[in-house]
Amino acid sequence: MDRSVAYLDNQATTPVDPRVREAMLPFLGQVFGNPHSRDHAFGWDAANAVRRSRADVAALVNADDDEVVFTSGATESCNLALRGVAKAAPDRRRRIITIATEHPAVIETVRDLGQTGFEVVILSVGSDGIVDLDHMDSMLNDRTLVVSVMAGNNEIGVLQPLAEIGAMCRHYGVIFHTDATQAMGRIAVDVDDWQVDLLSLSGHKMYGPKGVGALFVREGTPIAPVFAGGGQEFGLRPGTVPVQLVVGLGEACALAVDSWRADAKRIAELTNHLKAGLMESCPVIRFFGSMERRLPGSLSVGFGWPAHEVIAKVSDRIAVSTGSACSSDSTEPSRVLRALGLNDEAAASGVRISLGRFNIDKDVAAALNAFSRLPVAQEEYG
Ligand SMILES: *Cc1c(COP(=O)(O)O)cnc(C)c1O
């Protein structure tokens, strides 16, 4: 890795916090037991570690310990949430509602369920990226099975009004899932404040390891497993729990409980500094998505040039991206920016800049320096 390049792509993944790595190391060494071995101390030690981690995850989202199911990451959590409730659905609830700016983990899963007899409703968002609550309300009824709306967007950072949507879902007896992957450790996450029944999160977006995540399942939510196997994770997610990864996720959650507020404040200050500097150096700059309701550290910026050209010019100094590490072609207009009503030219210009816990003033200076070398685009666009 080239350490002279400042990492400003924390929405794609975050570095593992050194304290997380330290917590994991014993579980790659002497503490190797299978947490499901009930007959000896090797198993008990592993099981205790898993139990502590479950409590740490639960504490961060204000859940009970036995409402946390460990998975391989947010993609699996979203799949288990949506496919699991679809499998357990009563015949009269056939509608699934989501929004146009969801991560593929949700939108592709929902589309897939649409092929198996469910009615899929994908709601549009406003030019600020936020779903219209009246529109949501008009689509909800007592034949709706589940609503899935993300907390913070992975590409543009916009926050959705989850508490309001949660209240609506309760009113109609509809299950409410949120993909909170980007929100963890960045804003307050409380499953009761949002009235969510299912919440997906991922280790590697919150300074933990890759390959582990969790699904919060509110007690009493009708959901069936999608894999068959041993009865691990309350029968919902069979397979041996990866103790070392789960310990890393637990530590990441414990650190987030302690530091998210201070992190958010510091990161927001750095981001404001960056934003002000960019506006000074680039006269035709645009920022995409609501500037009020967004994750700290997240900017979606148009410089008046196609994003992949901008990125090619700055990549020797900073790591930024077109927004979605998961879509194949970075020269295509962004699906998320198109959903905001932008034309193809504007939607292909969005550069995602995302700051995190380990960014410092020097990184902002590097970004300002790198972007200041861009030729100035003359025209208003989009
Ligand atoms: C990264 C991400 C995912 C996928 O998480 P994995 O743990 O990599 O599977 C899902 N949703 C959102 C919003 C994300 O940012």
Side-chain angles (χ1 to χ4, degrees):
M1 190 181 84
D2 183 350
R3 290 182 192 279
S4 66
V5 176
Y7 187 73
L8 297 169
D9 199 17
N10 285 275
Q11 285 181 279
T13 196
T14 50
V16 175
D17 190 297
R19 294 165 289 184
V20 168
R21 186 170 55 235
E22 280 304 307
M24 291 173 67
L25 284 176
F27 298 90
L28 292 161
Q30 70 274 27
V31 197
F32 64 85
N34 184 323
H36 317 297
S37 297
R38 287 164 201 231
D39 301 324
H40 49 67
F42 293 87
W44 304 331
D45 286 351
N48 281 334
V50 171
R51 190 174 310 123
R52 277 195 303 276
S53 296
R54 202 183 301 284
D56 286 332
V57 177
L60 180 58
V61 301
N62 188 27
D64 289 338
D65 296 4
D66 57 7
E67 293 175 316
V68 172
V69 175
F70 290 114
T71 67
S72 64
T75 301
E76 186 188 334
S77 294
C78 293
N79 271 267
L80 174 55
L82 295 165
R83 293 178 195 279
V85 297
K87 219 170 152 185
D91 286 343
R92 65 194 166 80
R93 290 198 183 257
R94 303 313 285 180
R95 180 176 285 184
I96 299 176
I97 302 177
T98 189
I99 66 172
T101 53
E102 289 291 321
H103 188 276
V106 166
I107 210 139
E108 296 303 324
T109 303
V110 167
R111 286 217 179 98
D112 212 24
L113 290 168
Q115 306 291 307
T116 65
F118 287 91
E119 179 205 0
V120 169
V121 176
I122 298 179
L123 298 177
S124 57
V125 295
S127 58
D128 56 2
I130 297 173
V131 66
D132 183 78
L133 288 171
D134 291 332
H135 193 195
M136 172 70 79
D137 194 43
S138 72
M139 297 312 288
L140 275 165
N141 54 32
D142 58 11
R143 279 158 289 122
T144 307
L145 173 66
V146 61
V147 168
S148 186
V149 176
M150 69 199 325
N153 186 271
N154 48 296
E155 205 172 307
I156 55 175
V158 167
L159 303 174
Q160 299 295 339
L162 293 195
E164 288 82 351
I165 297 169
M168 286 178 190
C169 288
R170 279 282 159 92
H171 178 78
Y172 292 102
V174 170
I175 299 168
F176 183 25
H177 168 251
T178 188
D179 176 358
T181 307
Q182 293 285 338
M184 303 309 302
R186 295 193 173 81
I187 60 170
V189 174
D190 183 314
V191 294
D192 288 341
D193 284 354
W194 288 346
Q195 300 192 50
V196 292
D197 303 300
L198 300 157
L199 178 146
S200 297
L201 61 89
S202 175
H204 77 98
K205 305 288 175 75
M206 51 184 301
Y207 314 102
K210 294 170 182 61
V212 68
L215 178 65
F216 156 76
V217 182
R218 186 177 295 282
E219 160 139 53
T221 305
I223 182 168
V226 296
F227 293 157
Q232 294 95 341
E233 296 300 283
F234 316 102
L236 255 186
R237 204 282 189 167
T240 305
V241 169
V243 182
Q244 73 285 4
L245 295 173
V246 159
V247 165
L249 176 62
E251 182 67 14
C253 288
L255 293 173
V257 166
D258 288 343
S259 73
W260 79 263
R261 279 175 206 280
D263 280 351
K265 183 163 176 286
R266 202 182 58 81
I267 291 167
E269 281 163 10
L270 285 177
T271 310
N272 285 340
H273 180 182
L274 174 61
K275 182 173 171 244
L278 290 175
M279 288 169 76
E280 222 164 85
S281 72
C282 180
V284 299
I285 199 164
R286 294 180 59 178
F287 295 94
F288 302 119
S290 167
M291 290 316 285
E292 290 78 42
R293 298 185 48 88
R294 63 172 40 254
L295 293 165
S298 165
L299 289 175
S300 174
V301 191
F303 291 93
W305 304 104
H308 67 274
E309 289 180 19
V310 173
I311 290 166
K313 289 201 168 71
V314 299
S315 61
D316 58 330
R317 306 221 179 157
I318 58 171
V320 294
S321 69
T322 51
S324 172
C326 319
S327 78
S328 44
D329 185 351
S330 67
T331 63
E332 287 285 304
S334 146
R335 168 180 65 85
V336 169
L337 292 178
R338 293 283 292 123
L340 270 54
L342 295 168
N343 66 21
D344 281 350
E345 190 192 4
S349 77
V351 175
R352 175 177 69 181
I353 311 175
S354 48
L355 281 69
R357 181 182 289 164
F358 298 109
N359 287 119
I360 54 177
D361 289 331
K362 188 164 72 67
D363 301 327
V364 170
L368 289 174
N369 186 291
F371 288 119
S372 74
R373 296 179 303 170
L374 294 177
V376 175
Q378 297 299 333
E379 304 267 310
E380 289 291 332
Y381 67 102

